Amino acid sequence: ENLFLMIVCILNKIPIFVVGKPGSSKSLAIELITSNFHGEASKTPFFKNFPIIKVQSHQCSPLSTAQGIEKVFNKAIEAQTSGNNLLSVVLLDEVGLAEQSPHLPLKVLHKL
């Protein structure tokens, strides 16, 4: 389920929040996507027809700031505009920990 929904949303540029308990294959799904979607350089002929998917990760914590999260999004935008046939994905890992931050970093997502 995670893998299928992630692929569909990424390829159609639809934002997605994947929420689940530890061990529910969230990280595995994104790892499988990034290890297979290499555009023309893909090992499997099927994946050669798809764009390169590049993940920009941010490990959230109770010390996360809005500037840190915004920096990751800006880096993803820069990567996507500089590469042909490239889709840039932002991965906010352990986003629940950022909710504990006194800096309220997740509010920056409203303007992105």
Side-chain angles (χ1 to χ4, degrees):
E1 295 172 356
N2 287 340
L3 183 64
F4 176 72
L5 278 174
M6 284 182 180
I7 291 171
V8 169
C9 289
I10 291 169
L11 293 177
N12 290 294
K13 301 178 183 176
I14 300 170
I16 181 172
F17 285 95
V18 181
V19 180
K21 294 180 179 181
S24 60
S25 302
K26 300 178 301 292
S27 297
L28 175 62
I30 198 71
E31 182 62 34
L32 288 171
I33 291 168
T34 57
S35 65
N36 286 292
F37 283 81
H38 294 289
E40 292 291 324
S42 295
K43 295 176 184 173
T44 308
F46 175 76
F47 290 110
K48 290 181 185 286
N49 299 319
F50 293 99
I52 300 165
I53 295 178
K54 183 174 180 180
V55 175
Q56 304 291 335
S57 297
H58 179 72
Q59 179 64 47
C60 296
S61 77
L63 301 175
S64 293
T65 63
Q67 293 82 9
I69 292 174
E70 192 169 18
K71 185 177 179 181
V72 174
F73 274 88
N74 289 334
K75 189 175 177 183
I77 291 167
E78 183 181 319
Q80 186 160 324
T81 56
S82 67
N84 290 338
N85 201 27
L86 176 88
L87 289 176
S88 213
V89 175
V90 173
L91 172 66
L92 298 176
D93 203 12
E94 299 290 339
V95 75
L97 294 175
E99 291 179 329
Q100 301 169 7
S101 174
H103 307 292
L104 304 173
L106 300 179
K107 287 193 173 221
V108 75
L109 296 176
H110 292 283
K111 70 176 186 176
L112 301 173

